């Protein structure tokens, strides 16, 4: 997520605009979602940024707010972890089946699917789902309803594995360590056209896309879809599992806290005071709108990230300092890990990031500038138009029920000496600090301007980059006397 | 369209299967479209090949069948040709506006849009429509309904033209010959990211895609969208304009003929007896299903095609011979030209080919093997999986109301000495004649097996290839004595 934060041009998309007050609290609000504003004579599919808050049909009459603030896609949250009593027998069955060995990223997807982040998906995609995802970014359900599904969630196998599976209807899946993870049933094996998959997912076939280099190029020429059963919840034993709340656990937590609005913030970078300003400001505005207890889901991505991103453990430590230092209020914030790997697929991926948060029970989603964006791998430009992410998200089939909150531009106010929302009337006072710039500060041990990030959080980053340099030094060749 | 014709594996998709008889004539049939068959435990978006025929709400009670066999997308057929009385004043206004010069292919798109083939599109796409087309292959309407829109229908301009337009809200558009064609109003100019457009439309960025080389690579870095007004109907004065019936004219013709079913056959190749067999067989089956007067819309594509395709005038002559020779029945066939340029974009383009025929009033569409497919421009393989076209078409958002008829495999039966549906029990008797093979026959003057194509039609092809060789010879360098 970029460090510059942008105010979307269309007034209805900004919570500080009077129109936003149309968005009234559940107790005052009809269920129906209105179509968005009309832009043109031949208005096709207007941008719909902020829907009215959703409520359950019994509305104001109901008692304590349930996580039914927003329904999971498909109506029911998918949970593919088998009951403990069945785990034993199924483990025995798995022994007898052809085996598919997972990579680390495959296992992250098993984690994602098994906990229902991708509801209503019940396993790795079969060709029918794969094609809909690739061409339409959504799936049509039996009843004709549409759910968003922008990223192909697929499992690749090589020719030898396909050969070994033969005509078996089911296969066992093994983790990278060789341990049995679960079973894939009623499988379907189909061609893995990597070029087409990459082109339609990223909008480029240029070499050097991190996920492609890591997970697609080296993978097999076949995809295997089927219904997934997982023998036990996926754990990583990295000291961070307690942060990995499932959608079911998150919804329970939101109930426990009596949240009447949950706003999710997806990130894979350290939290600076510009982010904090935005999150606190969003809460303030939700309160102004009449919500009594808006809860922030601070939801760092925990799966695969590119080499120069800050590692998960460092980010989690940095985030906890941000809460310790009181920049974010622990009383109204839940910090949890989103187990998905990162595609860096811009407008296509931001839909996945939002859709997964619907399944986790968030009914508001803050969309960043250039979400899931990165530099073009071979050209000196952004891979995606920074505005396409929020535009595509606002029009994405199956996301109509989610309230989308666009970023406001925050930058360092050199007069007030703090991060503040950009004021164009005195633009000369504002300093934009990019992610690269921030990393360079930390690398060089130089301090960023006061008020850019809380001291505790900054210290974590400085220590991380110091340790990196120490490693590099240790690996450098030593001249013998 | 490939010459081999394939029977889709799923029985419900074959008209000769009893289940297809569920599809009863309007007089016996409810309006509701049923969801398709369920394939898997976690059946998401089942393949829906054949819906029940659609009928107007007054159903059996109504009098003569109207072209309301199927409604245009968006409910009303778009017609952007201004009334004659306004043409004069608007021509004068156009004089005063900044000018955008069209290429031949741009003009073909103006033709397509102005006659409503792309209904509900009322002009070249603005960014909002472009992004939805690129990412979702469909557009969401104001009322929340979905229409299919798989190809970006856009107009590119260069930096100089953008500069010249400045802040003018409207521009005049000029044909390739410099004559005023119409006006584009309430324009929006946005970036033309060619790489992303190509990758998401074709699923490859490999060089050598015919439409890309012809229309995208040389085009400008900006796209201009807006509401289109055309001063008078687009004509080509090539002796074929009488074949170019608009959707409005076609719907009128279907009414005149009292059609109670219209099945469209898209092609850009000569018609051989395998095609004819399929079309006549389709009519027979529609009659069996209880339709009284099924009409065939033989609908060759008339816009841009790649260099080695048979030119439109030759194809039209060949088609007319096929009717003269009685291979197809003129009484139940309408031959007309579809003015769209060809993308060769496989699964993405076949949706456009089907959607445009909905707007023309066809309620049945015959989908070929590997529709809009071609060889990969740089690799020795098909660019698309030959089955993906009909699979994607069967799941495409906004096409649910269209009855899709998959091809059956026809090949040359060396025993019966005619084109016949492939019989796997005596596969050795069948000879598959590819498009390349057919062209090679015609080029070499060698006759294909008797019964492959009617003599009159074949003669047209032979003459065409002879004339080509004569041209080549004339252009070859001559050694002087």
């Amino acid at each position: 997520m970029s460090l510059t934060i942008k105010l979307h041009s269309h007034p209805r998309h900004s919570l500080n605009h009077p129109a936003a007050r149309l968005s009234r609290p559940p107790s005052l609000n009809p269920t129906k979602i209105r179509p968005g504003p009309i832009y043109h004579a031949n208005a096709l599919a207007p941008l719909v940024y902020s829907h009215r808050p959703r409520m359950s049909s019994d509305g104001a009459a109901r008692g304590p707010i349930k996580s039914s603030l927003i329904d999971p896609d498909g109506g029911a949250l998918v949970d593919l972890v088998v009951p403990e009593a069945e785990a034993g027998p199924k483990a025995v069955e798995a022994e007898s089946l052809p085996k598919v060995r997972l990579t680390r990223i495959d296992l992250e997807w098993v984690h994602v699917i098994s906990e229902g982040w991708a509801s209503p998906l019940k396993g790795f995609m079969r060709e029918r789902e794969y094609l809909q995802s690739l061409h339409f970014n959504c799936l049509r359900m039996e009843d004709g309803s549409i759910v968003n599904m922008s990223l192909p969630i697929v499992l690749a196998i090589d020719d030898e594995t396909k050969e070994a599976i033969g005509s078996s209807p089911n296969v066992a899946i093994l983790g990278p360590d060789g341990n049995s993870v679960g079973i894939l049933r009623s499988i379907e094996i189909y061609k893995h056209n990597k070029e087409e998959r990459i082109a339609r997912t990223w909008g480029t076939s240029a070499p050097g896309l991190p996920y492609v280099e890591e997970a697609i190029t080296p993978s097999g020429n076949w995809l295997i879809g089927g219904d997934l059963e997982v023998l036990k919840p996926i754990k990583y034993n990295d000291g961070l599992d307690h942060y990995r709340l499932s959608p079911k656990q998150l919804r329970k937590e939101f109930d426990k806290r009596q949240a009447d609005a949950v706003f999710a913030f997806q990130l894979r970078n350290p939290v600076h005071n510009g982010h904090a300003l935005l999150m606190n400001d969003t809460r303030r505005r939700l309160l102004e709108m009449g919500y009594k207890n808006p809860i922030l889901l601070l939801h760092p991505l925990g799966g695969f990230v590119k080499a120069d991103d800050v590692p998960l453990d460092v980010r989690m430590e940095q985030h906890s300092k941000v809460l310790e230092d009181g920049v974010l209020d622990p009383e109204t914030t839940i910090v949890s890990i989103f187990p998905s790997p990162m595609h860096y697929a811009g407008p296509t991926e931001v839909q996945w990031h939002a859709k997964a948060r619907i399944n986790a029970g968030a009914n508001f989603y803050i969309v960043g500038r250039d979400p899931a964006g990165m530099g073009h791998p071979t050209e000196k430009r952004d891979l995606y138009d920074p505005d396409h992410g929020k535009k595509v998200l606002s029009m994405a089939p199956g996301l109509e029920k989610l309230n989308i909150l666009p970023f406001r531009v925050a930058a360092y106010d050199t007069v007030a000496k703090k991060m503040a929302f950009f004021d164009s009337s005195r633009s000369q006072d504002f300093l934009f600090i990019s992610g690269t710039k921030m990393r360079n500060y930390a690398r060089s041990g130089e301090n960023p301007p006061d008020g850019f990030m809380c001291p505790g959080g900054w210290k974590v980053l400085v220590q991380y980059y110091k340790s990196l340099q120490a490693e590099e030094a240790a690996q450098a060749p030593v001249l013998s006397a």
Side-chain angles (χ1 to χ4, degrees), chain A residues 361-381:
Chain A
N363 58 341
F364 286 85
Y365 183 81
I366 301 176
V367 58
R369 183 188 162 281
D370 197 16
M374 56 174 269
H376 191 286
T378 59
E379 299 169 23
K380 274 200 164 19
R381 60 170 178 95

Side-chain angles (χ1 to χ4, degrees), chain A residues 175-377:
Chain A
D177 58 4
N179 292 337
S180 186
V181 168
I183 296 174
L184 207 58
R185 298 194 186 274
S186 313
I187 60 166
E188 177 184 298
I189 298 178
Y190 54 102
K191 288 199 215 77
H192 186 194
N193 183 335
K194 298 177 186 181
E195 180 191 54
E196 183 173 18
R197 176 184 172 190
I198 294 163
R200 295 194 191 277
T201 304
W202 280 271
T204 178
S205 335
L209 295 167
Y211 188 91
V212 170
E213 305 275 305
E214 180 72 23
I216 300 182
T217 307
S219 72
N221 294 320
W222 303 95
L223 296 175
I224 178 170
D227 301 329
L228 179 66
E229 286 179 344
V230 171
L231 300 178
K232 58 182 204 302
I234 306 298
K235 298 293 171 199
Y236 299 80
N237 306 310
D238 57 358
L240 300 175
D241 283 330
H242 62 286
Y243 277 120
R244 296 190 174 93
L245 300 183
S246 69
K248 195 202 281 175
Q249 291 169 315
L250 284 169
R251 284 172 170 264
K252 218 166 148 190
E253 185 64 24
F254 300 144
D255 286 351
K256 213 183 87 201
R257 299 204 187 193
Q258 301 262 313
D260 60 354
V262 174
F263 57 109
F265 190 79
Q266 142 76 31
L267 74 170
R268 52 165 232 275
N269 272 315
V271 173
H272 60 69
N273 290 346
H275 297 134
L277 172 67
L278 179 82
M279 290 185 266
N280 289 323
D281 188 65
T282 301
R283 174 174 160 79
R284 187 179 61 72
R285 293 173 192 284
L286 287 170
L287 289 168
E288 268 178 22
M289 286 161 62
Y291 290 97
K292 297 279 165 282
N293 186 24
I295 294 291
L296 164 63
L297 173 60
L298 184 67
H299 215 192
L301 178 135
F304 165 80
V305 289
K306 57 189 168 68
D308 65 347
D309 281 353
V310 178
L312 181 62
D313 57 343
V314 178
R315 283 184 281 133
M316 294 314 292
E317 195 186 342
Q318 194 270 348
H319 299 342
S320 61
K321 295 294 178 196
V322 168
L323 273 87
E324 276 176 32
D325 291 8
V327 176
L328 291 174
D329 176 7
E331 288 305 304
T332 58
T333 305
I334 294 171
V335 185
S336 180
I337 292 174
F338 175 49
S340 172
M342 188 76 197
H343 269 56
Y344 305 92
T348 303
E349 184 167 26
V350 71
Q351 297 173 68
W352 160 244
H353 287 172
K355 176 237 169 61
R357 273 49 178 243
I358 290 177
N359 285 329
N363 58 341
F364 286 85
Y365 183 81
I366 301 176
V367 58
R369 183 188 162 281
D370 197 16
M374 56 174 269
H376 191 286

Side-chain angles (χ1 to χ4, degrees), chain A residues 54-57 67-77 119 251 355 357-363 398 401:
Chain A
R54 206 181 156 293
M55 65 186 291
S56 71
S57 51
S67 65
S68 56
L69 281 176
I70 188 163
D71 291 333
D73 282 343
L77 198 59
S119 294
R251 284 172 170 264
K355 176 237 169 61
R357 273 49 178 243
I358 290 177
N359 285 329
N363 58 341
K401 62 187 174 182

